[in-house]
Amino acid sequence: MSASTVDAYRRDLKRLADWAARHDRQDLERIDQADIRSFAAGEHRRGLSPRSVQRRLSAVRRLFRFLRAQGQVRGDPTQGVRAPKVRRRLPEVLEFEQVLALLEIPQESEIGVRDRAMLELFYASGLRVSELAGLIWARLDFAEGMVRVLGKGQRERIVPVGRHALQALQRWRAIHAGLGDGSEPRVFTSLTGKPLTVRAIQKRVAYWSERQGLDQRVHPHQLRHSFASHILESSGDLRAVQELLGHANLSTTQIYTHLDFQHLAKVYDKTHPRAKKP
């Protein structure tokens, strides 16, 4: 598992441990189905979203399956406990004109050159923020216009990089070579040569969305959603979008078909003689 996944499960199980201490259930053998329901309901009342409660329960299920396999408990109290239903939300997508406005970052400064390269790559290749933060120069093939990405579950995929992104990356590489002692393999760093964290990248994207006059605060995943939606809108090839995004299951990618339909519905309402509003 990735470090962030391990971190999330650690926090989830810490919440269970706190609950068990308050309810005299430190002996996990004593925890039953009613206790698990009580724990989940308490987390929900505490203001946790249904999706977060689902993840809490997922961590607890994995714990009890492990304990049972190790012979440390006899039963699994999580069996039959259902997580609250999550309302499926469509991802927020930028219009193509908004993406163009966002990418027009002035390049008078070294920071501007770096951030332009960063946002161009986000949109050109649909990378996750963790993938972009961990990207090293050796994984970029400028001659072929490709990038090898190490995604979730350490799965590797190869994604094309557009010419605008390649040009922006070339400009940044020339600056990057002179930072620090020049040995940092990570592509995106501070001007002192230290790798940018995920949080730092998120802040830069938010900064430029405000600076470039967009009417919303943009986060990196929005650029990934926009990349997928715009590709699907143009090609109609859902399987190709799945490969580009690195989704293990096609069902994860299918959410973009709803976005595509929304676009079609807007066009229909705007242009069909019998649909136009007076």
Side-chain angles (χ1 to χ4, degrees):
M1 295 292 185
S2 70
S4 57
T5 301
V6 172
D7 223 31
Y9 277 124
R10 183 182 288 116
R11 287 196 304 273
D12 293 336
L13 294 180
K14 174 71 166 59
R15 288 295 307 166
L16 177 68
D18 293 343
W19 180 92
R22 288 196 309 273
H23 293 82
D24 191 27
R25 289 289 189 276
Q26 289 96 327
D27 178 4
L28 295 180
E29 188 68 69
R30 292 182 59 198
I31 292 181
D32 59 21
Q33 196 179 73
D35 290 327
I36 299 298
R37 285 202 178 97
S38 173
F39 168 68
E43 293 297 281
H44 192 52
R45 280 195 303 272
R46 213 167 58 84
L48 232 62
S49 69
R51 190 177 295 281
S52 296
V53 175
Q54 271 190 354
R55 201 196 64 210
R56 287 266 199 275
L57 285 173
S58 174
V60 174
R61 280 194 191 95
R62 285 171 181 255
L63 170 67
F64 277 98
R65 281 175 194 163
F66 171 77
L67 292 174
R68 198 175 177 188
Q70 297 292 312
Q72 295 184 44
V73 297
R74 288 189 295 274
D76 180 357
T78 66
Q79 282 187 345
V81 178
R82 290 185 181 180
K85 284 189 178 179
V86 176
R87 193 176 161 199
R88 197 173 190 187
R89 289 189 310 171
L90 293 177
E92 293 178 16
V93 171
L94 298 173
E95 297 289 338
F96 180 59
E97 291 73 19
Q98 290 178 300
V99 174
L100 289 182
L102 180 62
L103 295 179
E104 285 300 317
I105 294 173
Q107 297 182 78
E108 292 109 15
S109 67
E110 292 176 333
I111 291 283
V113 173
R114 181 200 67 190
D115 289 357
R116 173 73 176 260
M118 200 157 64
L119 269 70
E120 286 278 10
L121 184 58
F122 262 135
Y123 181 63
S125 304
L127 304 191
R128 298 179 179 94
V129 65
S130 57
E131 294 168 347
L132 185 125
L135 184 64
I136 59 174
W137 288 110
R139 289 182 170 271
L140 275 163
D141 185 336
F142 285 89
E144 294 295 324
M146 296 287 183
V147 59
R148 281 188 296 123
V149 182
L150 201 60
K152 283 186 176 180
Q154 299 298 294
R155 288 192 301 272
E156 189 177 81
R157 69 186 189 279
I158 298 175
V159 188
V161 182
R163 61 187 175 86
H164 292 290
L166 287 172
Q167 289 166 2
L169 285 162
Q170 290 278 29
R171 284 192 292 271
W172 167 240
R173 186 163 68 165
I175 294 168
H176 183 273
L179 301 178
D181 61 4
S183 64
E184 175 52 54
R186 221 77 70 83
V187 173
F188 294 106
T189 66
S190 67
L191 295 185
T192 59
K194 292 181 180 175
L196 291 182
T197 64
V198 165
R199 185 75 191 112
I201 294 169
Q202 289 169 336
K203 282 183 176 178
R204 295 310 297 168
V205 175
Y207 167 81
W208 284 112
S209 63
E210 186 178 339
R211 177 78 185 271
Q212 296 298 89
L214 272 71
D215 57 358
Q216 58 182 291
R217 188 182 174 91
V218 177
H219 52 81
H221 223 63
Q222 244 173 307
L223 289 170
R224 179 171 159 87
H225 290 321
S226 303
F227 159 85
S229 181
H230 296 168
I231 292 273
L232 183 62
E233 200 173 289
S234 301
S235 69
D237 191 336
L238 191 65
R239 187 69 71 177
V241 173
Q242 178 195 4
E243 291 290 326
L244 290 168
L245 292 175
H247 285 161
N249 300 308
L250 189 62
S251 58
T252 313
T253 319
Q254 281 173 332
I255 192 165
Y256 295 107
T257 60
H258 298 294
L259 290 169
D260 193 37
F261 178 77
Q262 279 189 339
H263 168 74
L264 291 174
K266 278 182 187 173
V267 172
Y268 181 89
D269 289 341
K270 203 171 175 182
T271 58
H272 194 282
R274 302 291 282 175
K276 283 193 289 187
K277 292 179 181 176

